[in-house]
Structure formats: C-alpha cells, structure tokens
Amino acid sequence: MEKETESEAPPSSIKKRCGYNKNWENEYLWLKGVEGDTERAFCDLCKTSISIGHGGEYDVKRHRLTETHKKRVQQKETSKSMDAFLRPKNDFLADKVTAAEVTSVYHTVQHATSYRAGDCGTKLAPTIYPDSDIAKRMACGRTKAEAIVTDVLAPASVEDCLKVLRRPLNEQREATTKAHTPFFSVASDATNHGTTKLFPLSVRYWTPDLGVQTKVLDFYDDSDETSAAIHNQIVTKLEENGLGLDMISAYSADNASLNYGRYNSVFQKLKENNNCILKANCVAHIIHNSAKHAGDRLNIDIENVVSKTFSHFSSSAKRIEELKSIHTFVEIEYQSLLRHVPTRWLSLWPAVKRLHDSWAPIKTYFLSLGEDQCPKSLWRLFKDDQDGEGNPLDLQVYLSFLSNALKIFHDTVLVLEREDGTTGVLLQQFPDRQAAVLREDMCNFYQSSLTYLEQRYDFSDSNYQKKVASLALKSPFNFSHLCEAVEVLQLSKKLDMDALYDEYCVILPHQQAIVQSGAPVVEKWATLLKHTHTPNMTALASFLLSVPITNASVERVFSLMTGCWTDTRNRCSVNLIKSEIQVKSNFTFSCKDFYTYVVKKKVLLNAVRSNKKYKFKKKPEVLYTSTDPDQTQKLL
C-alpha cells in the first residue's frame, strides 16, 4: 500500500468545485462513483460515501489514511487469504478439486452406491493418497453430495437437452427463413413405490448431428391417475421447461384406455392442444400380449413348467450338484436355469431356450426322482418315459417348438431367425394321430397370436405408417412421397412446400448412394441432410424420427428406479431418485469421461461451490439454467 504523509495539504486555492474522476478507480480499487452526485464518492470497504467537492483526489487519499479504512483493508486481506484456502475460485487446482468431488458424486449415482460410503471415501482419500493435494482438499459429505445431484447435475443434464430442443435445426439459415426447432415426442407411464404413485416423463428427438436422443425430463409423484391429471402434468412440465406444445410429434404410453381411449383419454386431450400429435402406442406391448394370448391356449402350460423347474432347483444346492453331475455324465455343459417373471412374459423365451438346451439332463434328473419325489405337475409330463427307454414326450416337442416360435416375439419380428427342423423330426416319432393333434395345437398358437395382432394393430392402408414408409430410405423417394407424408402428418402449415421442393432437388443426387449404404434409417437421414441448408426437409425428418414405436424409454426409467431405490437406500426422497434417474439417463459418460467433461465446465463448477444449493439454508432457486440458447448455462 502506498504510504501517504500527513504533511500533504489541499490546494491553496480552489476556484471551482471538484467532481468525481472515474480514472481514480484504476488506483483505488475500492472506490466507486455515486449515481446522481458528482461531488461524492463511495468506499466499498467502509460502505460509506466521501465528500470530494472541495479537495477532489486529496479527499480520497485522506479517507484512505483513516483508522477505520485501514482496519477494513486489513480485514479484506485476511478474508481473501481464507477464500483462497477454503474456496479459491480462480485457482486451477480448486477447479480440479471440485471436479473430483463432482465426479465422485457422479460415480455414486451411476453405481447406486450409498452416500454414506461416498462420505467415508472422501475422508479416506487423504490417508490413501497422502501425496495428492486434490485428495487432501476434497470435502464432499452426504449433504453436499445430495445437493450436487439434485440442484446441479440433474438440472444440468436436463438443460443440455433443452438447449438442443430450443436451437434451430439449421444453424446457418437466411434471415428470411423460418427457424425450425426439433420436433419431439413425449412418453409417460405410471408405477407404484409402496403407496406412492410415480410418473416418468421423457422426450425423444432427432437432429442430424446427434441422431435419436431420449432424455428424462421429469419424474414426479401424483396420487391422481386420471387422464385429466396426467394431461395437466404433461402440459405443465413442458411449459415449465419452455417447450411448446405445437412441437410435439407423438404421445407414447402403454395401450390402456386411460391413455388412448376414444373420448376422454390423455391422447385426446393432447390432440386438443395440437391436432398433429400422433398416437405412438407401444407396439412391443401388443406383440408381448399376443404371444401370451396364444400361449395360454396351448394344451401345455409352459409357464408353469418353467416356473416349477426353476423353483425346484433354486433353493437347494444339493439338487443343483446332482443336476451338474448328470450334465457331466451326458457331456453337456451345465448352464443355470433361468427364472421366468410372469409380469414380463417374454422372459419366458430365454427360460424355455435354456430348458430346451438342457433337455437330456433335466429329463434324466426328474425321472431319477420317481413319482414320489418329483413334483406332480412335472411328473405327469415325464412319466410316459419312466422306464427310461427314450420315448418321445409331448413336453420335448413343445420346448423345441416354443424355443423357435417365442424367438419371433422376443425379437418383435414375424420371421424365424433361422429354420430349424428339430420339431419336425420329433413329430415323426409320434403316432400319426398324436402328431396331428400336436401340429394343430402349434398352428393354433400362430393363428391366435395373429388374430390378437389384427384386432389391436391397424394393418389397413389408412395407417399413417404406410403413408410415410417410402421415407425409410430403403429405396429412392420422389417429391410426391414427401407431399403425401406432409399431408398425412398435417404439417402443411408448418412447412414451406415451395422451399421443400427446392430442398428435394438439392438432396436428389445423393439419394441412391445413401439408400445402398445399408446403415440404419436415422444415420441415412443424418448423412443425407448434413452440411445442407434444408430446413423444411430436416424438420420433416425431425418429426418422423422423433416418433417412437415402443414405450421402452419410460419402462427403462422403472428399472432405473428399482436399481436406485434399494432396501439399503430406502430413505431416499422422490426428488433425489428423480435427480439420479435424470443424471443416469441424460448423461452418457463413463465415470472417467465425466471428469474430463466436467473439469472444463466452469459454470457447473461454480454452481457446485455455491452455497445456494443448500435449500434448507436459503430460499429455493434455480442454480443451473440457460436464458440464451446460444450461450452456455448461466449461474443465477
């Protein structure tokens, strides 16, 4: 600090009043002007104003020599030292420390470990790594870790998605061209956790650069499961995140009448907001139910067979050892039997396949038990070969048939993965009459499943999917195909048809090569539209590729919820579980890559260091948000 002497005196004569000089701020960093009064200055350290009308800069220097100001300077220097020690904002090492803390929290979320374990790990790190300055300075207990997840990482993961949905698809566009942001579909469903009814809300969108993306927008609890309540929640959540209802391409949910009923469903209410919204009910769910419907009409209860067989071995190590010894004797590699979950009927195919592959040892084992020890429901299926003569059994034929037939439904296609003559060979070993009964029962399986599908899926020419099938890029399309797609999707008011024709001419020379590439359709469209100024064509592709064919995105949320809300983490709040699901779904980094990502995100690191994330200390407010789509997130 520059020393001043008491002998300095004001100018001998002042002919006019002095005013504030802004250049003084370069030397006196604590000095500011007073708005509306040029004859006064303000000391930011002492929080007081100084009269400078008579002496000008001399008055400023005189204030600097006062005991009060000197004391404030000393306090400020001490405070800076403490800030540098506790929370240095401009220190590169501080960013590394914060990034290490955030990554450790991210690791906790990704692997659903206990926050108590993370608390212990942070305290243990300085002992294990005594030479690491970062380990010594890490301080991230349970409370801070949860606050980072709920108030920093989760909002940041959602904001990254929202930035894409707010940004025009074609960045380099003419000023007169309408800016098209990506279309997106919304998906919802419901599940229970104890007595709490929970609803995930996810969005699906496509851009040429990112491809198809599915992100979890929200996960909330609501005891009201009516169509009106679900609709209101969807509309509210979208509006809170600044997403327009006019950009929704489709609504995806399970096939319950609550979601897709003709008069008062969620879908019909959304159609009132946007008439272009498509019904994207879960096709996979229909296929699953058709397989179950057909399986229930077989002469053998295959679900019971699989469940009984699994339960017989699941609770006895001795039985498993006996089965393993039989596998060794017949020279077949042992594989554990699989459990069938009734609520997920297609878990039956892997279980049936495993039973079919282990048929010889399984049959030998149950026959060796005899009628008194073997479960009655299973003995009825094995007893025809109780003499061990190798007689063909109905169960063997059904296992062979279903190991192939269920594969069709398991892969959600209507063709076999490969032709296999095993079932036909087995049927030749039965008497003609018995073989005919078995063949008829198996044919009925296919007929029942097809009847179910025809009742619940629209195979008619009026289905919009047939109208847009030409845009799957399996073969070149012409402009009339585009017009037909725009008409059936009701996008004529959102697209410029004259400009669309010009854009079609731009991509026309490249169609043939892309069609022959053999890439997935989303990659074909990305290749076709990249590095082109085709806003209308890109918007049409965005609409089509944002429409899902299954409700898998929210079903996955339920799986994540189960993994997060374990018995050892049963005290987690809905808000914490929601935040963990958003982090796990919306960030796709490995733990190692996440550190590389986050250490460069200055705004996110500052948000982690901010005390505002502790909601019990301060009024809740958004920590991580973006007010400008073209800029990075800003800390409020």
Side-chain angles (χ1 to χ4, degrees), residues 171-182:
E171 291 286 4
Q172 296 179 349
R173 60 191 187 278
E174 299 174 5
T176 57
T177 303
K178 181 181 178 181
H180 289 283
T181 56

Side-chain angles (χ1 to χ4, degrees), residues 371-396:
E371 184 175 3
D372 294 337
Q373 299 297 323
C374 182
K376 286 188 177 181
S377 60
L378 295 179
W379 180 252
R380 285 194 293 268
L381 302 172
F382 288 104
K383 67 179 181 180
D384 289 344
D385 192 29
Q386 57 185 306
D387 296 330
E389 297 179 359
N391 296 327
L393 300 178
D394 289 3
L395 176 58
Q396 184 180 1

Side-chain angles (χ1 to χ4, degrees), residues 223-362:
S223 59
D224 191 350
E225 200 181 355
T226 63
S227 60
I230 296 173
H231 168 261
N232 289 336
Q233 287 281 14
I234 292 174
V235 171
T236 301
K237 301 296 183 185
L238 293 178
E239 290 178 345
E240 285 175 353
N241 288 282
L243 299 178
L245 300 179
D246 60 322
M247 298 306 294
I248 301 177
S249 59
Y251 172 62
S252 178
D254 62 29
N255 301 300
S257 58
L258 172 77
N259 292 314
Y260 294 109
R262 187 172 299 179
Y263 300 109
N264 198 31
S265 62
V266 178
F267 174 69
Q268 293 300 333
K269 292 181 182 298
L270 287 172
K271 289 278 284 186
E272 295 174 4
N273 302 117
N274 177 1
N275 194 47
C276 298
I277 295 178
L278 299 175
K279 182 172 70 171
N281 54 315
C282 186
V283 178
H285 190 256
I286 296 175
I287 295 174
H288 293 178
N289 286 347
S290 67
K292 179 174 177 60
H293 177 79
D296 288 342
R297 279 150 182 78
L298 288 174
N299 292 331
I300 189 170
D301 188 350
I302 194 65
E303 291 186 75
N304 181 62
V305 171
V306 170
S307 299
K308 277 287 185 182
T309 305
F310 176 83
S311 63
H312 181 80
F313 293 101
S314 63
S315 58
S316 174
K318 180 181 179 182
R319 292 171 181 173
I320 291 177
E321 287 301 318
E322 291 174 356
L323 183 60
K324 285 181 178 179
S325 66
I326 298 175
H327 274 79
T328 302
F329 179 76
V330 298
E331 298 181 346
I332 294 178
E333 182 180 357
Y334 172 78
Q335 297 182 79
S336 300
L337 297 178
L338 299 178
R339 181 187 179 190
H340 164 51
V341 182
T343 55
R344 296 180 179 270
W345 198 79
L346 287 185
S347 68
L348 185 58
W349 174 75
V352 168
K353 186 71 168 60
R354 184 62 56 83
L355 202 56
H356 172 259
D357 293 343
S358 304
W359 168 252
I362 291 291

Side-chain angles (χ1 to χ4, degrees), residues 581-600:
I581 289 172
Q582 288 175 326
V583 171
K584 295 181 78 167
S585 299
N586 300 345
F587 283 131
T588 57
F589 303 102
S590 66
C591 296
K592 179 180 177 181
D593 292 339
F594 183 78
Y595 176 82
T596 305
Y597 162 81
V598 77
V599 76
K600 301 174 184 177

